[in-house]
């Protein structure tokens, strides 16, 4: 590993590393990383008339996308009074406008706030109020959810809508118009530095409301180099591995790479990794209105997809689809996933069903702007239970309960440091101080690191469920359940699921003399939280929940009790 690292990061090499000052701390960075999100957008013009975004029957070229983003950036400044550092939020599913709005707002110097499109109206309203959003770009479904909460957001001056436009809002097409792709509008004159604030991505909170992870332009552009470095490292370390036989060789790729986007843009993976990777590399990005494995296979065949993945559950669903053998998937060159635990048997299943195309996985969080570690090729086959080694600009360490470093192979909490780690939580100094120490992020994940530097995630220190790549904090769901008048006590636990990784489960003790049904609880929670947080499994018990002397519910014992055969 050290030899490969040295070759890739040597002076003059593509992945040369330099140390710069970031927030008063010496920080390893990629010397050749782009300076800002605006720079990423400007570089995309080189791909010209090649297809960039495909959504249903809509096709947008790179030139058209740039023109739309530039027109939106100009309108934000000249028409809506957006200045550097003002917040511009996006609340919509994966539509083509999402990307143009994101890059346009960032190029104008605004802080972009991608909101979770699965949130309820109250959750969306909280994100808009907490971030102090000035301009919102939304679709019709999000506008319907926000109808009740919009009057409580006096700081929101402008709402731009795709589709039918409610009173008091403006249409995206009226704002952007039909700019000439050959002669696009000029980007507004704004000085943007690598360490300027760029994004606020919300992550579920352990208590109460979500927290906004405040990311910089450097955070965003670091991820592009990290992905490329990880791929180069994998290729070099796999070079000595046995080559596939002729019948297992990978088919030749189409002229243009094509990625099937199966995760939301509002996730760090979807935005930092897949969207940014496509716009820089010139790849075609194919969007899905809603995830469906059969539709995914149809699009893989129709659009000659070369890369697909998402979270592990989506790959499982594609492999298990009854239409798998009926579709031409020969264009697929690679399969990558992350965002949730991946069972080791998945890598072997992919190797069996996609001969010669070993998958890759990685590890990161919203707070690390997507990627920190990567595992692929021969390394993944040799260590399928590892999330890989950190990229060259990231340091990891495992610590005990009081923050002392632990030796190799010892298990403790994983901490991460690097130019990908966000600045902190927007407007929450106490939460920032509790999670970040001198540039080190406390991940809350229990891990160990082997003698080659490969990281193994053992457990989660935080009381959290990962359902199909979405983080669900148990305390948030418990708080919603406790609002039901018939509930005396409740505890939320993770229930293993082969496809989603985990489902949300709840053990509930009703109040004496009260009767409540599972459907009533689900409806109650659904009124307060996003659908993916609603318990799929509910158990009722009339005895007290098991607790330790400090009064904390013994969740492991409770889980063993309700899940035992």
């Amino acid at each position: 590993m050290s030899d490969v690292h040295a070759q890739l990061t040597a002076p003059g090499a593509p992945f040369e590393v330099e140390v710069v000052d970031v927030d008063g701390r010496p920080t390893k960075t990629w010397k050749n990383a782009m300076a800002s999100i605006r720079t990423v957008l400007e570089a995309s013009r080189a791909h010209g008339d090649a297809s960039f975004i495909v959504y249903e029957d809509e096709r947008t070229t790179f030139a058209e996308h740039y023109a739309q983003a530039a027109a939106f950036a100009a309108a934000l400044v000249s028409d809506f009074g957006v200045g550097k550092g003002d917040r511009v939020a996006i609340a919509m599913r994966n539509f083509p406008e999402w990307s143009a709005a994101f890059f346009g707002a960032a190029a104008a110097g605004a802080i972009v706030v991608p909101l979770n499109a699965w949130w309820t109206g109250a959750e969306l309203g909280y994100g808009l109020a907490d971030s102090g959003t000035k301009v919102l770009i939304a679709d019709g479904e999000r506008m319907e959810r926000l109808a009740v909460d919009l009057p409580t957001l006096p700081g929101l001056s402008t709402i731009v809508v795709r589709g039918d436009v409610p009173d008091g809002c403006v249409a995206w097409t009226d704002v952007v118009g039909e700019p000439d792709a050959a002669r696009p509008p000029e980007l507004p004159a704004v000085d943007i530095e690598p360490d300027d604030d760029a994004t606020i991505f919300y992550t579920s909170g352990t208590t109460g409301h979500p927290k906004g992870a405040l990311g910089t332009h450097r955070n965003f552009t670091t991820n592009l180099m990290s992905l490329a470095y990880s791929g180069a490292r994998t290729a070099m370390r796999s070079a000595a591995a046995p080559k596939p036989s002729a019948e297992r060789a990978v088919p030749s790729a189409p002229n243009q790479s094509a990625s099937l986007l199966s995760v939301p843009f509002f996730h760090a993976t979807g935005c930092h990794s897949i969207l940014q990777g496509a716009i820089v590399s010139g790849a075609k990005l194919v969007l899905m209105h809603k995830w469906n494995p059969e539709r995914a296979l149809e699009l893989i065949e129709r659009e000659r997809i070369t890369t697909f993945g998402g979270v592990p559950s989506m790959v499982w669903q594609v492999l298990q689809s009854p239409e798998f053998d009926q579709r031409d998937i020969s264009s697929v060159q690679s399969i990558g996933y992350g965002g949730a635990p991946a069972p080791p048997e998945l890598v072997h299943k992919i190797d069996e069903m996609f001969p010669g195309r070993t998958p890759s996985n990685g590890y990161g969080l919203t707070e690390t702007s997507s990627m920190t570690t990567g595992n692929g090729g021969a390394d993944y086959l040799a260590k399928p239970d590892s999330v890989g080694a950190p990229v060259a600009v990231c340091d990891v360490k495992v610590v005990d309960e009081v923050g002392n470093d632990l030796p190799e192979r010892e298990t403790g909490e994983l901490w991460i440091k690097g130019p990908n780690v966000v600045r902190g939580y927007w407007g929450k100094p106490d939460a920032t101080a509790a999670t970040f120490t001198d540039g080190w992020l406390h991940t809350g994940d229990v891990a160990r690191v082997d003698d080659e530097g490969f990281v193994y995630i053992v457990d989660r220190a935080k009381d959290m469920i990962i359902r199909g790549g979405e983080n669900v904090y148990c305390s948030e769901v418990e708080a919603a359940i406790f609002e039901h008048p018939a509930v005396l006590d409740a505890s939320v636990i993770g229930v293993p699921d082969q496809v989603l990784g985990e489902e949300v489960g709840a053990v509930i003790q009703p109040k004496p003399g009260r009767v409540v049904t599972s459907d009533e609880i689900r409806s109650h929670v659904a009124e307060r939280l996003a659908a993916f947080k609603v318990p799929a499994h509910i158990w009722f018990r009339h005895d007290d929940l098991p607790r330790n002397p400090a009064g904390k519910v013994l969740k492991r014992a409770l889980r063993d009790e309700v899940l035992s055969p």
Side-chain angles (χ1 to χ4, degrees):
M1 180 69 76
S2 59
D3 290 346
V4 170
H5 171 90
Q7 292 180 54
L8 290 173
T9 61
F15 302 102
E16 182 178 352
V17 173
E18 64 178 355
V19 177
V20 301
D21 183 277
V22 176
D23 292 341
R25 290 184 295 271
T27 304
K28 291 187 297 184
T29 64
W30 300 116
K31 185 175 182 178
N32 298 316
M34 292 187 182
S36 68
I37 300 174
R38 179 178 173 127
T39 308
V40 171
L41 175 64
E42 290 173 325
S44 71
R45 297 184 67 181
H47 305 303
D49 292 332
S51 294
F52 176 35
I53 294 180
V54 176
Y55 172 72
E56 300 297 330
D57 295 325
E58 300 178 33
R59 291 181 181 268
T60 305
T61 68
F62 281 90
E64 290 167 343
H65 175 270
Y66 177 86
Q68 292 169 15
F72 184 60
L76 286 175
V77 175
S78 62
D79 298 343
F80 305 141
V82 170
K84 186 175 180 180
D86 284 340
R87 273 74 66 204
V88 174
I90 307 173
M92 64 169 63
R93 65 166 66 245
N94 285 2
F95 286 129
E97 291 87 346
W98 201 106
S99 178
F102 177 86
F103 282 102
I111 299 175
V112 193
V113 187
L115 296 176
N116 190 318
W118 296 342
W119 277 355
T120 64
E123 290 171 310
L124 291 168
Y126 170 79
L128 292 169
D130 180 70
S131 62
T133 286
K134 185 172 184 177
V135 176
L136 167 66
I137 302 92
D139 58 15
E141 188 176 352
R142 259 40 63 179
M143 290 303 299
E144 290 178 5
R145 295 183 194 176
L146 276 165
V148 174
D149 294 274
L150 285 178
T152 68
L153 302 168
L156 184 60
S157 62
T158 305
I159 302 176
V160 183
V161 180
R162 169 187 162 115
D164 295 336
V165 182
D167 292 341
C169 302
V170 60
W172 169 268
T173 50
D174 290 340
V175 172
V176 174
E178 297 183 2
D180 185 350
R183 297 177 181 81
E186 292 288 333
L187 288 174
V190 182
D191 183 26
I192 300 175
E193 298 296 327
D195 295 311
D196 285 343
D197 296 333
T199 59
I200 299 175
F201 279 80
Y202 277 88
T203 179
S204 296
T206 52
T207 57
H209 292 295
K211 303 186 295 291
L214 178 60
T216 65
H217 287 267
R218 188 189 302 278
N219 292 156
F220 186 82
T221 60
T222 288
N223 198 63
L224 182 68
M225 294 294 292
S226 296
L227 289 165
Y229 168 85
S230 182
R233 181 179 64 187
T234 292
M236 290 179 67
R237 283 176 59 84
S238 300
K243 299 297 185 293
S245 60
E247 65 271 13
R248 291 174 57 82
V250 180
S252 59
N255 291 332
Q256 183 187 22
S257 296
S259 296
L260 179 64
L261 182 67
S262 54
V263 296
F265 279 139
F266 60 74
H267 276 183
T269 299
C271 185
H272 291 67
S273 294
I274 301 175
L275 176 58
Q276 183 182 196
I279 198 171
V280 170
S281 68
K284 179 172 63 175
L285 191 57
V286 180
L287 312 183
M288 299 182 67
H289 179 75
K290 184 177 182 180
W291 170 253
N292 176 276
E294 285 68 48
R295 176 62 171 163
L297 284 165
E298 178 185 351
L299 289 171
I300 289 172
E301 179 180 77
R302 188 187 86 179
E303 298 294 336
R304 303 295 292 157
I305 297 296
T306 58
T307 301
F308 85 97
V311 294
S313 62
M314 294 173 171
V315 179
W316 272 118
Q317 289 174 340
V318 168
L319 298 181
Q320 295 173 351
S321 170
E323 295 187 13
F324 182 85
D325 293 327
Q326 302 170 25
R327 294 291 182 180
D328 178 5
I329 57 172
S330 61
S331 60
V332 174
Q333 301 288 301
S334 61
I335 302 165
Y337 44 82
E345 61 266 27
L346 180 57
V347 62
H348 300 298
K349 192 69 174 176
I350 292 172
D351 190 47
E352 170 191 333
M353 300 182 74
F354 284 88
R357 287 157 284 190
T358 303
S360 62
N361 78 345
Y363 170 82
L365 305 91
T366 302
E367 291 88 343
T368 63
S369 314
S370 195
M371 186 180 204
T372 295
T373 70
N375 197 7
D379 284 332
Y380 197 10
L381 288 172
K383 302 181 180 186
D385 51 344
S386 171
V387 293
V391 297
V393 294
C394 290
D395 293 315
V396 301
K397 64 179 180 179
V398 175
V399 303
D400 62 17
E401 292 84 354
V402 293
N404 295 319
D405 292 8
L406 293 173
E408 288 176 2
R409 302 187 182 280
E410 289 287 321
T411 298
E413 185 183 6
L414 182 68
W415 286 16
I416 298 171
K417 187 176 185 179
N420 57 332
V421 174
V422 300
R423 182 159 278 156
Y425 295 120
W426 176 264
K428 291 181 171 54
D430 292 343
T432 298
T435 308
F436 301 86
T437 302
D438 193 27
W440 287 95
L441 166 71
H442 311 184
T443 69
D445 287 327
V446 180
R448 60 182 173 85
V449 179
D450 69 15
D451 55 354
E452 281 195 292
F454 282 71
V455 177
Y456 298 76
I457 304 299
V458 178
D459 200 355
R460 289 188 295 277
K462 296 176 182 176
D463 191 13
M464 184 178 73
I465 297 165
I466 301 182
R467 180 194 180 277
E470 289 288 335
N471 292 350
V472 181
Y473 279 90
C474 298
S475 57
E476 184 182 19
V477 183
E478 288 166 353
I481 293 173
F482 273 115
E483 292 180 15
H484 194 287
V487 172
L488 176 64
D489 200 1
S491 181
V492 171
I493 59 174
V495 179
D497 183 89
Q498 183 181 17
V499 173
L500 295 171
E502 289 180 299
E503 282 271 30
V504 181
V507 183
I508 297 172
Q509 181 185 15
K511 291 178 179 177
R514 299 295 297 269
V515 177
V516 62
T517 67
S518 297
D519 287 344
E520 289 173 350
I521 292 294
R522 292 190 183 99
S523 296
H524 172 82
V525 175
E527 292 174 356
R528 291 158 174 79
L529 301 175
F532 66 87
K533 302 176 185 177
V534 175
H537 307 274
I538 297 177
W539 297 268
F540 294 99
R541 56 181 289 159
H542 296 284
D543 298 332
D544 293 339
L545 272 58
R547 297 178 181 272
N548 65 15
K552 185 176 180 180
V553 174
L554 301 172
K555 294 204 173 189
R556 182 170 296 178
L558 193 62
R559 186 182 295 109
D560 291 343
E561 175 187 315
V562 298
L563 296 180
S564 61

